[in-house]
Amino acid sequence: MSIQLKTIKLINNESYGYRERVGGDKKLLLLHGNMTSSKHWDLFMEALPSEFTVFAMDLRGFGLSSYNTPISSIKDFSDDVKLFVDELELRNFTLMGWSTGGAVAMQFEADYPGYATELILLASASTRGYPFYGVNEEGHLDVTSRYQSLDDIRKDPVRSIPIQGAYDQKNREFLKAVWNAAIYNVNQPTLEKYEEYVDDMLTQRNLVEVYHALNTFNISKVHNGLTQGNNLVDSIRIPTLVLSGERDLVVTKPMTDEIIADLNHDILTAVELKECGHSPLIDDLNQLVSTVTTFLNKDLF
């Protein structure tokens, strides 16, 4: 089964790229993370059993999608997902989000119940957001000084300025070094696939806006140090699988623990993927596919 690359124009004056793999009656919608697009789901889409019809969209500002209006929140992304599924008339699907895509998926389900039947969070940002801290005089992260604004994050000398600079200069080796240290710290893609993924990274046009959206996201019941939670987490009432990588350096165990603590335990299944970092898609694709399909076949309940 081949993956088709398509585009669609929505009523918000944005166009979106997406990938579709036609299969059976079970429908799965995939939301990618930061510094990626639907491209990074390709191996996973190919490996899923034939009973699944799979969609993976490029969020606004990534991949083939336009970026006419800048985003300011995770909700901006999730509202785009709502327009997307309405245009394609998608209903009764499983919604799966990786990293930043996990936050988008949670926001979507909280705002728009009745569309998704299951939720899968893969190495997801927390229900309480993903904090971005300032640096001290030695250039190390200072967890007592959290950035407050988009402008603060834009001036960040540790992540924003170097990574945006690598984008602007098309510095592929720098991007690979970042990913080898933080994301592909267990396994790496093939050389050819890695080059394709770097090409994909260079399409992003909203790096600092995504950082700011993650920093301010909070659907929990508690204050996260920057924003008070809005308690939308209680609106998530469908079976939810929380997948974390045993060796994830990006989404730490305390962040995953926050998700587990905040979600309704009656709907929750949590699985730690062994010998995986932030990208189980590369680290152990077979383990990931097996865990997801087992969950969707209701064998984990």
Side-chain angles (χ1 to χ4, degrees), residues 223-238:
H223 199 286
N224 65 6
L226 179 63
T227 58
Q228 176 61 47
N230 56 26
N231 198 26
L232 281 176
V233 68
D234 278 353
S235 298
I236 299 176
R237 298 177 181 176
I238 57 176

Side-chain angles (χ1 to χ4, degrees), residues 277-289:
H278 192 59
S279 181
L281 303 158
I282 296 300
D283 292 333
D284 195 335
L285 182 62
N286 290 337
Q287 182 184 184
L288 176 61
V289 170

Side-chain angles (χ1 to χ4, degrees), residues 75 78-79 82 106-113 232 235-236:
K75 182 172 171 55
S78 66
D79 287 346
K82 169 65 161 55
M106 288 188 285
Q107 182 76 55
F108 175 88
E109 176 55 30
D111 285 341
Y112 304 111
L232 281 176
S235 298
I236 299 176

